[in-house]
Every structure is written in C-alpha cells, then in structure tokens.
Amino acid sequence: MARYTKTGTPNTIGQINAELDLIAAAINDTYSRVGDTPNQLESALDANSNRIINLPVGISDSEPVRRIDIKNSGDASSSALLRSDLENGIAIVSGVTRTFPTLSAALNSSIILNGDVLIIKERATGLGGGGTWDTVVTSTVTPNTTHIITSTATPTLALQLRATRVMDAKQFGAVIDADASVPINAALALTTEVRLSENYKYDVINLNSYNTLKTLNGSSLTLISGHTPIANATVQGVATTGVSLIGIKFIGRGNEGLLYRTVSLNESVDATIKFCKFDQIHGSCIRLNKSEGAVVSRVSFTNVTGDVGDPGQGIYANGIIHFKFDRLICSQIGDHLIYLQGRDATDFNRVEDGIISNISAYTTGVNGLTGGAAIVIYNKSKNIQFRDIYTKDCRAGLKLGIKVNYLGLTTHQMISFNNVKNESPTNRGFEITPDASIATPAVTFNDAADTVTKAAHLLQNGDTIYFATISTTTGISINVKYYVISAATDSFQISLSNGGAAVSLVSDGSGTLTVPRPSDIVYNNCSTLFCKGGWGMQFSYADDVSVNNCENKKGAG
C-alpha cells in the first residue's frame, strides 16, 4: 500500500489538488472495515507481535484455523502447527477429547497429552473395534499388545483402553480367522462380557479362578493346528463362579492325534453353557468335575471322537450337584453323550439334585472303546430326574451303572425316568447293574454307642445300606433297607427312615454289607424299540422299583 507523505506546504490550488490525489491513492490502498472492494492484501501482513483475536470457526480450506481448533482435532498432521508452541514453552491444555480414525493414528500423534481422552473410530482400518482410550503416563501402567499400548510419538505416554461392561474382542486386537487367544484373554480379564462378533481361531482361553460373572458371547472359535492346551483343556477354568459361554460354535481339529477337553470348568459354581455347538472334537466337549449349579442348555454335539483315556463324550462330570441339562442333541459321538460319576466321597464328589430333560441322542459309542450308552451315571447319585429323552442307534440307551470304587458302599436313590424312548440300541435300553468288581465289606457293631464301624466308609447321611450277614448283634436284620444317620469318618448309625431315630443295637458283633442296592427308582411311559441285543430293561439288586406304562417292543431280548 502506498503511504501518504506530505510534500511541503501547499499554497496554490494546484499544490492542494496534488496532495488530495496522494491522499486518495493512499485511501484506495487501505483495507476496508466494511468490505468495500477491492479489499485484498498485496504483500505480507506483519502484526508486529500483536494478537489477532475473535476469529470465527473456519469453514473453507482458505480460512485461518484457531489454536483451539488444532488442539481438539485428531489429525496427526496438525502436530507440526503446534510444534512451535511446544518448543517455546507455551502450554497446551491437557484433558481434552480428541478423535482419531485408527489406533495407529493416535499412537503416532505428538499432540496428545497426559489426561487426554481419545475416541478411536476403529482399531485398524476396516476392522472395527473402536472405543475410548485414556492417555496415561507409561511408568504407571504395564504396557501390552492388547489394551495398554505405548505411544510411538511420545514413549513417556501410553494409551489405555477404557473398560465397559460389554466389550468386543476386536477392541483388543482380535482379527477374523486368526488366533485371537491373547485378545480374548485380555478382554476377559478387563470386562464382564466379551463378544465375539467374528469367527476366530484360538489356542487356549483361560478362565481360571474368576469369581465374578464372566460371559463369552459370540460366533465361532476354531482350534488352531498344533495347539498347546492347559491341563488338557482348550477353554480352561478352575474354581470359577458365574462363568457363561453363550452362542459359540467350538470347532476342533478332529482326530489329529492329541486328546483334549474343549471346555473344562472343574470346581465351578453356577457355570452356564447355552446355545453352543461342538463339532469335530477329539476328546470330551464339556468337563464339569466337582461343580455346583451348572446349566447346559440348547447345546449340540457332532462328530466327537476319542481314544483310550478319553473316548469322546459330550458332557463328563466326576462329581456334580444341583445341575440342569436341557435341550441337548448329539450325533456321531465316540462314547457317551452324558457321563456322570459319583465318587463315594463328601464335597462335590457325588451326582445329586439334577434334571436331564429334552435330550435327543443319535449314534453314540461309535468308536467301540467302551459302553457307548447315551447317558451313564456311575457309583452314587440321588434325586435325579430324566424327562423327555429320545435315543436312537446308540450302543445302549440309558444306563444307571453301579461302578463303585473298592469300598462299594453307596449307590443310587430317588431316580425317575419319564417319557424316555430308546430306539434300536445295540445293547439294553435301560440298565441297573453292579460293576463286576463290587465288594461286600465287613463291618462291626457297637452296642454301647449303637454304631456301625467301617474305616473311611465315606457314607453320608441319607444313604441306604443293607446287611448281608449279622453275627451276635440283634435288633437289626439282613436284607432290610436302613438309612445312614450321624455319619462320622469311621462310623455311623442307622435308622429305618431317612433322618429318623437310631436303631438300638443289642450286643457287640460283626457282619457284612450287601452289594449296594439302588432304591426308589421310577419308570413312567418308557419304552425300548427294536433292541438289537439284551433286554429292554435290566435290574440287578434294585429295591423299590416302580414301572408304569412301559414297553419293550420288537426287540431281540
């Protein structure tokens, strides 16, 4: 702009007109406050260290950007515009919310400060997994590869994924059709419910010792080749409370030589497995040893194989109480769909208070290693209800076997079968038989204490026993059902009713117990059709068995 400079003292009209022309030229080169045109700079504007204030928010690319706009943007390229501020010690306000398209963009940004909140739209481009991350000092956390990651641009800072009640494995770095074991385990440790929104592969998922509600909910998990199970399990949880597996298809490796248990929730409380599928498993699908309150519902099992030591079962439990198995279906299982075993001991080493209902079992026992019955309960059980069950082409139907340990003192009580149909079993439809190795242990009687003595008998109050022989002692009889009361480690009393008064024993003496007798067994509306061998129903040493409206039709036995 041409500045106006006075040229002496004008005295004539010509001189005055010349000065006015200079003034007009200077005014024409001045910026207009009201927008008169032309109104453009023709050279750089020097504010001489004065601030330009009250700028509006920029709309177009040619407008100036305010400092606050740069600070709140998640664009990593904006860092260059703020570099002079950082170098000159001008503080940038922390604790602001910034938005980044990906986690990588945030990690490579030099504008983030401790306390900033970062909104990450996607974990990686096109893979989803967005979430909220907090900026923290690296020395205060333990960085990893899933949810606490050191900043690339500023290594003294780290980004920490903020936990919510429900989170997706994608947020922790899970990638479709890749091993997602590490992200899934990290997610389970951080939050309550982990969703699997894609099909993932896995090696081991660790649920050990979770004593709060944990839910794994989602799509499919395919076992990786060359997997390395923990305690022979791929989904392992010991001493858990409230763990749930919902809507997951577990796909194994088939018979590739290594036996494994797909889901093992031993010593668990209130475990839930619903809407799941197990396919191509080599070994047990579900293990629930010493568990309480387990619910397995709407679960299918197909193409389950096994070998010696683990012949391939749907559900296996060595001791389980207060359980419900409902709406299960199986096809082509190496051994049993359900195998439950009591162990003649206290704690959870028994099968008690359970409902098994709405079961369809097709073709069990295909490997020919063991009995292959659709459902087996061994050793000791009490108060078990079987309802609405159908089996077909199984090596045997339902077997209430008495495979006791060397003591052989306990058996089954209060078992009911309602609306159960076994079609074309290779062996028997229903069976109650003792194991061949069963013993009849010796006992002694004490007159003064009215007690029966047997070292480490492991009987519990309410168990039933029968005496095979009695010597010297009177007041009791052979082949009469007695209930155990006042059970101690090496002794117990007996009563003629459950929880009733103790029977008075007269004179010290000795005797032996009979083979344990299942008692209070009820069959209603049960049938065996086209049995290929054996009987429709077989009972041995059973007491108080009620059979109502049952049939064995067109069988070989």
Side-chain angles (χ1 to χ4, degrees):
M1 172 178 80
R3 296 182 180 275
Y4 168 69
T5 303
K6 185 179 178 182
T7 55
T9 302
N11 294 318
T12 66
I13 291 177
Q15 291 175 336
I16 292 173
N17 287 336
E19 289 297 319
L20 290 175
D21 289 340
L22 292 175
I23 292 171
I27 291 174
N28 287 334
D29 288 340
T30 302
Y31 253 29
S32 171
R33 293 176 60 192
V34 296
D36 292 336
T37 58
N39 202 28
Q40 296 175 329
L41 288 174
E42 295 181 358
S43 63
L45 176 65
D46 184 358
N48 195 27
S49 300
N50 294 301
R51 300 186 185 281
I52 300 175
I53 62 175
N54 297 326
L55 288 173
V57 176
I59 298 175
S60 67
D61 291 342
S62 62
E63 294 183 81
V65 178
R66 303 173 303 171
R67 181 171 177 275
I68 187 65
D69 299 329
I70 300 174
K71 184 170 61 176
N72 286 343
S73 77
D75 185 2
S77 65
S78 302
S79 62
L81 300 176
L82 292 178
R83 195 174 306 281
S84 60
D85 277 0
L86 298 172
E87 292 173 349
N88 292 309
I90 301 174
I92 300 175
V93 178
S94 63
V96 299
T97 300
R98 309 179 192 278
T99 301
F100 291 88
T102 63
L103 178 60
S104 176
L107 292 171
N108 286 284
S109 173
S110 60
I111 68 171
I112 62 173
L113 296 176
N114 181 31
D116 285 354
V117 177
L118 311 181
I119 306 300
I120 308 299
K121 294 183 179 180
E122 290 187 290
R123 176 88 182 204
T125 302
L127 297 181
T132 301
W133 294 67
D134 296 301
T135 307
V136 297
V137 177
T138 304
S139 61
T140 64
V141 294
T142 303
N144 51 46
T145 61
T146 55
H147 61 286
I148 303 176
I149 304 177
T150 303
S151 168
T152 304
T154 311
T156 56
L157 298 178
L159 276 56
Q160 183 172 29
L161 181 61
R162 184 179 294 183
T164 58
R165 190 188 68 82
V166 180
M167 303 187 76
D168 196 298
K170 288 181 179 179
Q171 295 176 277
F172 295 78
V175 177
I176 185 171
D177 291 330
D179 185 359
S181 303
V182 172
I184 292 172
N185 286 323
L188 285 168
L190 187 64
T191 188
T192 300
E193 180 174 342
V194 179
R195 290 183 177 173
L196 308 177
S197 56
E198 303 288 354
N199 298 322
Y200 298 118
K201 295 181 180 179
Y202 79 106
D203 185 4
V204 170
I205 295 175
N206 194 340
L207 297 168
N208 282 340
S209 302
Y210 284 129
N211 55 11
T212 57
L213 297 178
K214 294 286 184 181
T215 299
L216 192 61
N217 182 346
S219 190
S220 71
L221 287 171
T222 301
L223 194 62
I224 65 171
S225 180
H227 56 93
T228 53
I230 296 178
N232 296 323
T234 63
V235 180
Q236 168 75 357
V238 176
T240 62
T241 299
V243 166
S244 298
L245 303 175
I246 310 294
I248 302 172
K249 182 176 182 179
F250 294 93
I251 304 173
R253 302 297 305 177
N255 188 0
E256 64 173 17
L258 179 64
L259 285 170
Y260 53 88
R261 300 156 188 171
T262 301
V263 174
S264 181
L265 297 176
N266 295 337
E267 301 178 31
S268 63
V269 177
D270 297 336
T272 299
I273 302 174
K274 288 185 175 181
F275 304 103
C276 291
K277 297 181 179 180
F278 294 83
D279 186 26
Q280 301 177 52
I281 308 301
H282 188 52
S284 297
C285 298
I286 300 173
R287 285 235 171 183
L288 295 167
N289 292 347
K290 295 186 179 181
S291 63
E292 178 180 10
V295 175
V296 181
S297 178
R298 298 183 183 272
V299 176
S300 67
F301 309 85
T302 57
N303 302 312
V304 178
T305 59
D307 209 331
V308 176
D310 193 339
Q313 291 145 345
I315 302 173
Y316 177 95
N318 201 335
I320 184 171
I321 63 176
H322 309 146
F323 63 94
K324 182 176 182 179
F325 300 156
D326 181 60
R327 289 176 169 80
L328 309 183
I329 186 170
C330 77
S331 176
Q332 297 293 326
I333 284 192
D335 197 14
H336 313 292
L337 170 60
I338 300 173
Y339 182 103
L340 310 179
Q341 177 171 314
R343 296 177 60 188
D344 280 348
T346 57
D347 196 19
F348 295 134
N349 291 335
R350 60 193 189 278
V351 179
E352 188 170 306
D353 298 330
I355 296 175
I356 300 175
S357 60
N358 298 295
I359 308 297
S360 296
Y362 300 90
T363 320
T364 61
V366 296
N367 60 21
L369 292 174
T370 57
I375 301 173
V376 176
I377 301 182
Y378 271 139
N379 273 15
K380 175 181 174 59
S381 66
K382 181 184 292 185
N383 191 27
I384 308 298
Q385 300 178 46
F386 296 89
R387 300 196 301 248
D388 302 313
I389 296 174
Y390 175 72
T391 77
K392 184 176 182 180
D393 294 329
C394 300
R395 293 191 69 197
L398 278 72
K399 181 176 181 180
L400 203 61
I402 309 172
K403 185 180 179 182
V404 296
N405 60 13
Y406 68 96
L407 293 175
L409 300 184
T410 58
T411 182
H412 309 285
Q413 294 175 258
M414 297 183 292
I415 312 298
S416 64
F417 299 86
N418 295 280
N419 299 316
V420 180
K421 181 179 180 180
N422 298 305
E423 183 175 342
S424 304
T426 301
N427 204 329
R428 289 167 282 278
F430 302 87
E431 179 180 345
I432 302 177
T433 55
D435 187 82
S437 61
I438 202 164
T440 55
V443 296
T444 59
F445 304 108
N446 183 282
D447 180 359
D450 290 329
T451 57
V452 181
T453 300
K454 174 70 180 76
H457 55 76
L458 300 178
L459 290 165
Q460 296 174 295
N461 291 337
D463 287 345
T464 58
I465 62 169
Y466 301 78
F467 297 111
T469 62
I470 300 171
S471 177
T472 307
T473 301
T474 60
I476 53 177
S477 303
I478 62 173
N479 295 321
V480 172
K481 179 166 66 176
Y482 292 101
Y483 292 87
V484 173
I485 61 173
S486 303
T489 302
D490 299 319
S491 65
F492 55 90
Q493 293 182 306
I494 56 175
S495 175
L496 289 170
S497 61
N498 191 5
V503 172
S504 178
L505 304 180
V506 180
S507 299
D508 293 345
S510 61
T512 58
L513 295 173
T514 67
V515 169
R517 299 182 184 180
S519 62
D520 302 308
I521 312 298
V522 177
Y523 293 91
N524 288 318
N525 300 316
C526 297
S527 62
T528 301
L529 306 178
F530 312 111
C531 183
K532 300 173 184 177
W535 299 273
M537 291 184 178
Q538 179 182 359
F539 312 120
S540 299
Y541 301 101
D543 194 6
D544 293 332
V545 176
S546 176
V547 180
N548 304 297
N549 194 30
C550 298
E551 66 174 349
N552 177 26
K553 187 175 181 181
K554 296 183 179 180

